[in-house]
Amino acid sequence: MVNGLSVDVEAWFQVGAFEGVIDRSSWDSLSDRVERNVARVLDLFAACDVHGTFFTLGWVAERHGPLMRRIADAGHEIASHGWDHARVFALGREAFSRDVERARKALEDASGVAVRGYRAPSFSIDYRTPWAYAVLAEQGYSYSSSVAPIAHDHYGWRDAPRFAFRPLAWSPLIEIPVTTAQFAGKRLAAGGGGFFRVLPYAFSRWAIRQVNVRDQRPAVFYFHPWEIDPAQPRVAGAPLRSRLRHYTNLDVMAGKLEQLIREFAWGRMDVLAHREAQRAVELV
Ligand SMILES: [Zn+2]
């Protein structure tokens, strides 16, 4: 069972948790640390002999062209994480269409490869955005991995299918939700991010085994380059809860990641999407 390994490439100051305290207009004056952090991710993937998908902001691609080519040359997939991390439900259809078009152009110009995959910032495709998949299909995307099928305070589409589904009757586009596990009748977020960093490693091992063995489906895991960067600048003035989420266990993340990558089989999301397309259910 080959699982999907994904990296959401954004700077430490572009996360949703800090959007209330770091203005977009200040981004260009901050050191984004993307080059060094992605270089460490590439080294880790090479050491473990795995390939993955880098869902990258257009804003990042426009500023780091050589890095984009280096990711693609190493055999990884370049995919889109939107332009500047604006949430899909906050954009509306027209602005979303412009956002994904601008991002894809920047990613393709920088990397020289075609972009066919999309991940919404903060998993912001949900029941409020019925038009989002039509926009992605019209723009030639073949898959999206933009849904967290759970209830969560910042995001989530709790009634969405847990595994690949076809949101549009007229398009082969599929959605591959991020991994959840089931316990006592509840869905638990188990696909990475802060949950992976904060909870004991054994939880993630249990969850991915459950998905692979009991559900007989691939898991979809994600993390961010800033999560392996304990030396990143600390943001003053952010809410305590945001700071706890963002800074807990940054120093142990790289070791945990390596353990996870070595314990399970991993690959690119476009390869996984191709396999999952045959099993995708219709969304009714
Ligand atoms: Zn993101």
Side-chain angles (χ1 to χ4, degrees):
M1 184 72 73
V2 180
N3 302 291
L5 181 58
S6 61
V7 189
D8 292 358
V9 182
E10 63 205 34
W12 56 272
F13 50 78
Q14 291 170 319
V15 301
F18 295 152
E19 69 186 356
V21 281
I22 303 175
D23 196 83
R24 275 174 160 68
S25 63
S26 69
W27 284 2
D28 270 316
S29 67
L30 299 168
S31 167
D32 66 31
R33 302 173 71 84
V34 165
E35 296 267 350
R36 64 184 295 284
N37 292 339
V38 170
R40 279 192 69 200
V41 174
L42 290 172
D43 289 348
L44 174 64
F45 285 8
C48 298
D49 197 22
V50 292
H51 291 115
T53 293
F54 288 69
F55 292 103
T56 305
L57 292 180
W59 188 96
V60 168
E62 192 176 65
R63 287 160 177 79
H64 300 286
L67 183 68
M68 293 295 104
R69 282 188 291 280
R70 193 178 153 197
I71 295 169
D73 287 348
H76 305 294
E77 179 190 6
I78 301 284
S80 173
H81 195 34
W83 178 257
D84 64 355
H85 222 266
R87 292 180 175 85
V88 179
F89 55 71
L91 286 171
R93 181 173 184 148
E94 296 308 314
F96 175 62
S97 182
R98 287 193 298 274
D99 181 284
V100 288
E101 188 172 9
R102 186 181 180 196
R104 193 179 62 188
K105 189 166 187 332
L107 289 159
E108 291 183 341
D109 286 351
S111 69
V113 297
V115 166
R116 293 287 176 264
Y118 174 77
R119 171 166 291 149
S122 306
F123 299 104
S124 55
I125 287 182
D126 60 26
Y127 61 90
R128 290 170 288 185
T129 61
W131 35 264
Y133 290 119
V135 168
L136 292 173
E138 282 161 13
Q139 295 203 18
Y141 286 88
S142 59
Y143 78 91
S144 157
S145 180
S146 303
V147 167
I150 53 156
H152 181 278
D153 60 344
H154 288 185
Y155 56 75
W157 179 2
R158 70 174 75 194
D159 303 322
R162 291 178 61 222
F163 299 107
F165 64 89
R166 211 176 289 284
L168 304 167
W170 50 269
S171 164
L173 177 104
I174 62 168
E175 166 64 39
I176 310 165
V178 69
T179 287
T180 54
Q182 286 191 299
F183 185 75
K186 282 203 162 55
R187 291 181 182 180
L188 308 175
F195 298 99
F196 176 75
R197 193 157 33 86
V198 173
L199 296 176
Y201 176 78
F203 170 75
S204 294
R205 174 197 281 140
W206 166 80
I208 292 173
R209 276 195 191 144
Q210 183 192 76
V211 168
N212 285 175
V213 176
R214 195 190 72 189
D215 299 319
Q216 289 286 306
R217 299 300 282 255
V220 172
F221 182 82
Y222 74 98
F223 68 98
H224 307 88
W226 56 261
E227 289 186 277
I228 57 167
D229 181 11
Q232 67 189 274
R234 293 302 189 263
V235 177
L240 178 63
R241 189 170 178 174
S242 301
R243 279 185 283 135
L244 280 175
R245 260 189 200 153
H246 191 91
Y247 296 125
T248 301
N249 285 349
L250 295 176
D251 51 340
V252 300
M253 180 68 175
K256 260 174 133 170
L257 258 181
E258 178 161 2
Q259 187 174 4
L260 183 80
I261 291 171
R262 291 193 187 279
E263 184 160 353
F264 296 92
W266 300 97
R268 292 165 48 138
M269 290 293 296
D270 54 351
V271 178
L272 187 150
H274 188 72
R275 277 201 320 271
E276 285 287 283
Q278 288 126 42
R279 302 177 69 184
V281 297
E282 302 282 331
L283 190 63
V284 284

